[in-house]
Amino acid sequence: MDKKELLKQTELFVLDMDGTFYLDTQILDGSLEFLRQVKRLGKRFVFFTNNSSKSPKTYIEKLERMDCWIDRSQIITSGDVMIRYLKEYYPGKSVFLMGTPDLEENFRESGIRLTKDMPDVVVVGFDMTLTYEKLERACTYIRNGAVFLATHLDINCPTKDGFIPDCGTMCAAISLSTGKQPRYVGKPFRETVDMVLRLTGARRENVSFVGDRLYTDVKTGVANGAHGILVLSGETKKEDLAGSDTVPDAVFADLKEMGELLATL
Ligand SMILES: [Mg+2]
């Protein structure tokens, strides 16, 4: 399918944020115009981020400062996918959460039973408030039989000053200590696509995941029966494509270029 045909077929764009819609606190040129074109054509968009350190509310406020106004239904995080996963597979079970106060609030508001004592399940998020005590407890609980889950597999998180260790790195420390591997949700896993489809009612073949990473954003679409579109405004450079197992359905310079093509439809 050519690029124009793919955009025409897409009814729902699932947008990554950092490296795709903005860079850190700076909105990328053409992002708002892209959204305008999506709306003009009667298509829809939602944002999806693997970053579980902040709550949806925090992202809504961040986007508002960029003059992008969305409601709660238009933002999904890997934390939301984990909440849904817990309700489906571990209903009523107690959870020890290694996460930020933002994520804790998100879990608590959704009715997840959090505990500091021996839980049924340990959930690891992108915990920017990590302490040795939390790490030690998580390891002890998992060693004693708690289920080991994690919101997303990202090893590093890009910032304007370079990389900082993300959820996958924290899980690696726990795995090294306990010999146990986590079950991840978030991008690129099926649970994420299923949740997007359930929340939006969109059909799989009319959904395109758009982002700057091949192994998370693009893979989510192409590995799960939807589409994956790569933008070169963030982490991935054109030359990275040659060595990648994940082949995007389309590659654009940025959302600006996507918006310009949408304008011709
Ligand atoms: Mg990104």
Side-chain angles (χ1 to χ4, degrees):
M1 197 179 335
D2 79 347
K3 285 160 100 166
K4 192 168 178 174
E5 198 52 43
L6 177 60
L7 295 192
K8 199 184 270 181
Q9 194 189 313
T10 301
E11 182 215 315
L12 177 74
F13 293 94
V14 184
L15 303 172
D16 175 53
M17 293 198 279
D18 213 352
T20 301
F21 192 81
Y22 53 68
L23 273 179
D24 207 12
T25 56
Q26 204 64 41
I27 190 164
L28 287 163
D29 182 36
S31 290
L32 291 179
E33 181 56 25
F34 166 79
L35 295 186
R36 260 192 295 276
Q37 291 299 332
V38 168
K39 287 184 225 167
R40 180 184 67 84
L41 291 161
K43 299 175 185 292
R44 294 180 292 162
F45 67 90
V46 293
F47 288 99
F48 188 100
T49 178
N50 258 1
N51 189 336
S52 62
S53 70
K54 297 179 184 69
S55 70
K57 192 166 142 267
T58 302
Y59 284 116
I60 288 171
E61 288 164 4
K62 178 170 182 173
L63 288 166
E64 282 176 0
R65 289 193 291 275
M66 299 172 182
D67 208 21
C68 173
W69 303 79
I70 60 165
D71 61 44
R72 175 64 182 92
S73 69
Q74 289 171 294
I75 169 92
I76 311 168
T77 75
S78 64
D80 291 329
V81 180
M82 180 56 76
I83 288 166
R84 164 62 56 178
Y85 186 82
L86 288 167
K87 287 186 169 176
E88 191 166 344
Y89 294 100
Y90 301 96
K93 299 293 186 193
S94 62
V95 172
F96 175 77
L97 177 63
M98 206 172 104
T100 56
D102 248 23
L103 187 64
E104 263 175 41
E105 188 188 324
N106 200 9
F107 271 50
R108 209 172 278 118
E109 280 174 355
S110 306
I112 303 294
R113 192 153 63 88
L114 296 181
T115 180
K116 301 252 185 267
D117 301 318
M118 178 66 200
D120 300 305
V121 180
V122 170
V123 172
V124 178
F126 179 11
D127 190 0
M128 298 174 88
T129 55
L130 179 66
T131 60
Y132 187 80
E133 190 195 353
K134 285 203 235 180
L135 183 63
E136 182 256 306
R137 281 186 190 222
C139 288
T140 301
Y141 297 151
I142 289 165
R143 204 174 284 116
N144 289 339
V147 175
F148 181 11
L149 303 177
T151 55
H152 59 298
L153 52 62
D154 300 47
I155 305 292
N156 284 312
C157 176
T159 72
K160 62 176 181 352
D161 301 317
F163 288 109
I164 56 174
D166 204 327
C167 184
T169 296
M170 297 172 195
C171 288
I174 296 171
S175 292
L176 201 55
S177 171
T178 62
K180 301 272 167 55
Q181 300 300 322
R183 170 81 163 82
Y184 291 109
V185 297
K187 291 182 279 196
F189 299 102
R190 186 180 54 81
E191 286 77 14
T192 288
V193 183
D194 291 348
M195 180 154 184
V196 167
L197 298 183
R198 187 163 40 225
L199 288 176
T200 62
R203 281 154 44 127
R204 199 174 286 270
E205 59 272 28
N206 300 122
V207 176
S208 288
F209 282 79
V210 184
D212 65 310
R213 278 183 169 176
L214 286 162
Y215 55 97
T216 53
D217 306 315
V218 175
K219 190 173 177 186
T220 310
V222 298
N224 295 290
H227 303 286
I229 296 176
L230 178 71
V231 286
L232 298 169
S233 47
E235 188 179 286
T236 309
K237 303 291 159 237
K238 214 171 204 155
E239 47 274 26
D240 299 328
L241 279 164
S244 169
D245 301 334
T246 301
V247 181
D249 293 300
V251 181
F252 288 89
D254 46 22
L255 287 183
K256 183 168 186 265
E257 191 195 349
M258 288 178 69
E260 284 164 1
L261 191 52
L262 281 173
T264 67
L265 295 183

